[in-house]
Every structure is written in structure tokens, then in C-alpha cells.
Amino acid sequence: MTEKKVYTDYFFDEPAFNTHDGGYIPLVEADAPQKPLAIPPLLKPDQETETDTWYTVDAQTGESQLLPGAKTKTWGYNAPLLGQTIVFQDGKHIHVTLKNDLPELTTFHWHGLNVSGPYVDGGCHAPVYPGETKQIDFTLHQHAATTWLHAHPCPETAIQVWHGLATLVYVKDEAESKMPLPRNYGVDDIPIILQDRRFHENNQWDYEADYDPDGVQGPTAMINGTINPYFDVTTQKVRLRILDGSNRREWRLHFSDDLEFAQVGSDGGIMPEPVYMNKVMITCAERDEIIVDFGQYHAGDVVTLYSDDVPLVRFRIHDYKPDNSKLPDHLADITYPDVTPGSQVHKVTLDGMDEQVALNGKKFDMQRIDDRQQVGTTEIWEITNTNDAKNGMVHPYHMHGTQFLVLSRNGKEPYPNEHGYKDTVGVNPQETVRIKAKFDYPGVYMYHCHIIEHEDGGMMGQFQTYTPTDPNKKYKLMDMDTLMNALAKERGVKMDDVWTPENPKPKESNEDLK
């Protein structure tokens, strides 16, 4: 038997780590008592049959006890902060009532779901106004995966996600249900949503005070909305479904004792084979599913998950039943159509930093279609990060409406944990990542850097997928004047006084967000 390889580095180019940013804010362990890791409850369907499921997803304001003292004003889905975990079954027809109980318009973007655009997908062209409800319906055909829901009202995506509008969405299917993987939610199958915040006076968040065009960061790690969390381990093996839900921060994860773990899933589902490692770096919006075996520890031990040298979660070991099972060498068959003969190669450049960010040299325009691909074809996309290799940054590239396959990095093999389905991929400075992508539905979709301030700042484009029978289908696309007029009305200010990254007016013009 071939000895398994254990990877001991973070794969990405070290000079591009966020620790080298001029505006880098290092994490600092909060001066606060340890608390149990919050496990989001599962959202209960309104109704369910063998073929259909109905949900209501309510974007709402709230207050959360994050630190001792005053509660923090937060936003969430069916919860004061973040949200209840939504579970979709492959093959089901899904009906979702989208409800907006916020003081301003929002959108509901199903990041990683294979749904039609632009309205079901929930990018900037699908606003739901305050007090309004909208209905979306789709039949889900997708591999089991850890996806997520977040707000996406350009150019207000970053501030709304910062307020808390992000929650996990699990897709289940028959193939994954038969794999030898932990799946007892909240016991051995645990969501880990990684975010960071700065707390200001009275424990409040102040996005405008913290604003940085290269991505807003805070010194305090927040995991599932918990500061200084611990988790009580009662099984030998635990599955962690990790989401980088930060606006900017990349996380370099490792355990105390350099404990080895196995990555079994990425953005779009289970990978073809487990990848064994003791370190992994996750960029904004990526998801990594890992299996951690605590078999070498005993009741009373504590194993800590770190990012760099800062503790994130302490796993408190309790008595557990021994589990000598081993992961199979092969987990899942990754099937993807061959590239369609004669199809074009799409070129994407991720350009600049700070206020100079752009995609293909252009700032985002909600009324402009930047690229096109026919439904059902499989085509190559080449994504190049044009940042300088010495002082540039990793740009996490995301495409709506598809799970793609990573083919190469600068002509070489992808990273070992990139051989499964992906919707987000970190691209190093001066690197070209080659992917192949297929789309199943006609529509208009976004593609962008997922450092959220970068997409809000213009490092975003949109493409149209079309059928041969209706290649020039027209969609009602949101425009900036309509958006800004709505925000001005909702906030009770003049349009020129609406705070946006490109229009940073005094804070008192935006007090309803505090």
C-alpha cells in the first residue's frame, strides 16, 4: 500500500498573504469569557411533500450578546445574526418566500446553488424592498454540498454581509448519504462560519469607521457569531464544514500539535479523494469540509483550532466511543463534460487594489453585459490576477450560476484540494487559473472578486447565458439611479448623501444602520 501524503503548507504564494497588506489588521484573542460554539438551528420547512418543499427566509434586524455588556445590533436570516441553516434535497422542487423586515432593500443570493439568473440567483437585479415579500421557485439538480446565502445588493453587499446577512445552505443527495462521513448535525457534523469584527463603543459595529477599499477587517474572530468559542467533542471523528464568510480575511488554519486532518469536500461537494494535511488556507467565500480524528486524545484534553497563531475554537474532549473506521481512498466520481469543440476561451483579468480595482480593465456597470456563453456548452475561462507579484494580493474569483472545475495554475496542476467542484478559487498575483464551466439555465449572472469591498468597488462583471432559440433575451436589470433613490428614501436623506464606498458621506447620514 502506498503511504498517504500529508501536506504541510498553505499552498498559496506567501508574499501575497494578507499579513503583508499595508492595512492588515492582525487577529487578537478577545478579552472575553469562553462560550459554547453557537450551532445555528435548522430552518424548518413551512410545508413538505415527497416532491416539494416550502420555506420562508426572513431578513431581519436584531440584537446579539457577543461580548459582556451591551448587546450588538445585528442582522440575520430568521435569526438576530447570521441565520438558521437551510437544507435542500437534490431533486426537490423548492419554493422560497423571501421576506424583507430590514429598514432597506436587500437581495438574497444563493452562493453556489445551480439556479437561474438573475432573479432566482439573487444578485443585484433581484431587490426585495422593506416590508415586501417575493416568491422564488426552482427545481434543484446538484451534488450534495455546503453552499450559503448572503445579501448581494451592489454596491451595498459588503455592509449588509458585515451586519450579519449570511447563513449556510446544505444540499443533500443520495450518494453523499451513503458515504462513511459524520452527518449528525450539531454533534459530529459542525458548521464553522469564520468572520472577523471590530467592536466600537457599547459593543457596536461601525462599518464606515472601519472601511478599507481593500476589504474591511477586525481584530476579533467571530465563529458562528460566537466570540472565544469552545465545542464539546463527544465522538472520535468530527466533520467541520468551514466557510470563510469574511469580507476580506483569509484564514490559515491548523490545530494544536499539528494534528492531521482530511479534507473531503470543497465548494461544490465531496472531492474525488481525501486530501490529508495539517494546514489549509481558505480564501473569502470558499468552503472546506474536513474530517478531524481526535483518537489520540482523552477526556479532559483540549485541542485548539488556530488561524496563524490566534486560537479560534477550543475542542474540549469528552469520553467517546472508539471509531477505527478509515476513509476510503476514493470518495466520489467527478464527472464534467469535455470542452465543447470550437468554443471560445474567455479571458478575465482581476486588476488593481484599493480604489483602482477593476475586472478586465473596467469598473462594474449593472447595465452592461461583459461576456456570453451558450447554455449546455462547456467552455474554458482563464482568470489572471494582474497584481504585482511582490506586493499584490490573492483575489478569490467567484462565478454565479455554476460549479466549475479547476484545470491548472500557470499551466501546472491545481492545488491538491482543488480537484472537486468549485465556485470560488483564490488566484495568486501574476497567476492564471484555467477552469472549465458549464451553465444549465439562461440568465444574467455576476463574476467577481469575493473580497466584498472589491466587488462593491468595481472588480465585477456580468455575463449572459443563452439558448440558441432565444440568444438575445432581455432581462429587467437594476440600474444605479433606481438603487440609490431607493436607499435615499429608506434612509431619509438626499441621494447625494447616501453613504457608499465611492461616496463616503458623514456617518450621521446613515444612522439607521447603527
Side-chain angles (χ1 to χ4, degrees):
M1 179 181 292
T2 304
E3 184 177 355
K4 71 181 180 185
K5 180 170 179 56
V6 180
Y7 295 93
T8 59
D9 63 68
Y10 292 116
F11 303 139
F12 288 93
D13 293 350
E14 196 279 336
F17 287 2
N18 60 352
T19 51
H20 301 295
D21 289 355
Y24 175 64
I25 297 174
L27 291 175
V28 178
E29 186 175 2
D31 182 15
Q34 295 180 29
K35 296 197 302 186
L37 177 69
I39 304 296
L42 297 174
L43 183 63
K44 294 181 180 179
D46 301 329
Q47 181 184 348
E48 190 164 18
T49 68
E50 288 188 5
T51 58
D52 293 64
T53 306
W54 289 258
Y55 284 105
T56 297
V57 178
D58 186 0
Q60 61 188 65
T61 63
E63 290 186 326
S64 302
Q65 190 72 62
L66 301 178
L67 291 173
K71 291 184 177 181
T72 305
K73 294 180 180 180
T74 54
W75 292 1
Y77 296 113
N78 304 92
L81 172 62
L82 300 177
Q84 299 188 32
T85 299
I86 305 168
V87 179
F88 292 147
Q89 183 68 39
D90 174 50
K92 279 285 190 83
H93 189 60
I94 310 295
H95 313 259
V96 185
T97 299
L98 306 173
K99 187 177 182 183
N100 183 2
D101 283 320
L102 302 172
E104 63 179 51
L105 70 87
T106 190
T107 75
F108 298 73
H109 170 49
W110 303 94
H111 183 126
L113 281 195
N114 184 23
V115 294
S116 65
Y119 312 123
V120 175
D121 172 71
C124 63
H125 302 301
V128 182
Y129 293 90
E132 185 178 73
T133 60
K134 284 190 176 179
Q135 184 78 29
I136 59 171
D137 303 90
F138 55 92
T139 300
L140 195 64
H141 294 294
Q142 188 161 349
H143 297 286
T146 302
T147 68
W148 60 306
L149 167 67
H150 66 80
H152 206 309
C154 321
E156 298 286 300
T157 300
I159 191 170
Q160 291 202 359
V161 173
W162 185 259
H163 277 294
L165 291 182
T167 195
L168 286 172
V169 180
Y170 289 4
V171 179
K172 302 280 190 178
D173 71 5
E174 288 188 8
E176 187 276 339
S177 69
K178 298 174 182 176
M179 294 180 186
L181 301 173
R183 59 176 56 81
N184 187 357
Y185 182 81
V187 177
D188 62 9
D189 185 350
I190 311 301
I192 300 287
I193 303 172
L194 301 173
Q195 297 177 310
D196 57 322
R197 297 289 187 273
R198 182 183 296 278
F199 290 84
H200 294 263
E201 186 177 358
N202 295 321
N203 290 338
Q204 300 308 305
W205 298 337
D206 190 334
Y207 180 84
E208 296 165 26
D210 295 339
Y211 180 72
D212 181 335
D214 265 338
V216 175
Q217 305 168 73
T220 302
M222 186 174 74
I223 294 82
N224 295 357
T226 314
I227 311 297
N228 283 356
Y230 64 84
F231 179 77
D232 289 317
V233 175
T234 57
T235 60
Q236 180 177 327
K237 296 179 181 178
V238 174
R239 177 184 189 174
L240 303 180
R241 299 182 188 238
I242 303 169
L243 161 67
D244 184 342
S246 306
N247 285 41
R248 159 66 183 108
R249 189 175 300 275
E250 61 212 25
W251 304 76
R252 282 167 292 277
L253 304 175
H254 62 97
F255 289 92
S256 47
D257 302 327
D258 280 333
L259 177 63
E260 175 190 310
F261 53 89
Q263 184 172 345
V264 297
S266 54
D267 305 335
I270 303 301
M271 303 192 309
E273 59 188 32
V275 176
Y276 295 91
M277 55 183 75
N278 60 23
K279 295 181 176 68
V280 68
M281 177 169 140
I282 184 169
T283 68
C284 294
E286 287 188 297
R287 284 87 68 207
D288 289 347
E289 294 190 36
I290 67 172
I291 306 295
V292 188
D293 186 341
F294 293 105
Q296 70 189 65
Y297 298 96
H298 305 282
D301 290 341
V302 177
V303 181
T304 304
L305 175 65
Y306 292 89
S307 180
D308 294 327
D309 58 354
V310 177
L312 302 179
V313 184
R314 292 173 173 87
F315 292 87
R316 299 181 177 182
I317 310 300
H318 294 256
D319 289 325
Y320 53 78
K321 182 180 179 180
D323 180 355
N324 297 319
S325 63
K326 295 186 181 299
L327 285 171
D329 293 336
H330 179 74
L331 292 172
D333 294 326
I334 303 298
T335 57
Y336 214 96
D338 293 335
V339 174
T340 302
S343 60
Q344 66 170 310
V345 175
H346 305 261
K347 306 279 188 177
V348 179
T349 62
L350 305 173
D351 309 313
M353 300 192 304
D354 294 310
E355 288 90 349
Q356 283 72 48
V357 294
L359 189 145
N360 284 347
K362 300 176 182 177
K363 293 281 191 180
F364 177 59
D365 182 341
M366 283 194 278
Q367 296 292 301
R368 186 183 69 229
I369 300 299
D370 298 284
D371 210 333
R372 291 165 54 83
Q373 180 169 326
Q374 183 175 311
V375 168
T377 63
T378 301
E379 301 185 3
I380 298 291
W381 291 68
E382 289 186 346
I383 304 97
T384 300
N385 179 345
T386 62
N387 283 185
D388 184 87
K390 290 184 178 180
N391 55 19
M393 58 201 300
V394 175
H395 291 295
Y397 171 80
H398 170 55
M399 295 185 84
H400 291 211
T402 186
Q403 291 290 337
F404 52 73
L405 283 190
V406 181
L407 301 178
S408 63
R409 288 180 172 270
N410 276 351
K412 299 179 180 179
E413 279 289 305
Y415 295 148
N417 60 343
E418 293 181 326
H419 291 281
Y421 303 109
K422 296 278 290 173
D423 57 54
T424 306
V425 59
V427 186
N428 293 296
Q430 292 298 301
E431 182 176 51
T432 295
V433 172
R434 191 174 170 93
I435 66 174
K436 64 176 179 178
K438 173 180 174 289
F439 298 89
D440 294 333
Y441 303 105
V444 173
Y445 297 98
M446 277 78 193
Y447 57 131
H448 56 82
C449 174
H450 218 288
I451 293 172
I452 310 182
E453 283 72 21
H454 281 182
E455 63 178 272
D456 278 350
M459 191 184 284
M460 180 159 64
Q462 57 189 356
F463 59 95
Q464 181 164 354
T465 55
Y466 63 92
T467 61
T469 56
D470 194 3
N472 298 306
K473 183 175 180 179
K474 299 298 182 184
Y475 296 87
K476 183 180 179 181
L477 301 180
M478 185 70 151
D479 63 86
M480 188 59 70
D481 282 347
T482 299
L483 171 68
M484 298 304 288
N485 272 306
L487 290 173
K489 181 179 179 181
E490 291 155 5
R491 297 178 186 179
V493 299
K494 297 178 180 178
M495 190 167 73
D496 288 345
D497 292 330
V498 174
W499 191 96
T500 68
E502 295 183 352
N503 188 33
K505 293 294 181 181
K507 284 167 44 180
E508 57 265 28
S509 68
N510 199 16
E511 280 301 308
D512 61 321
L513 286 178
K514 297 295 178 282

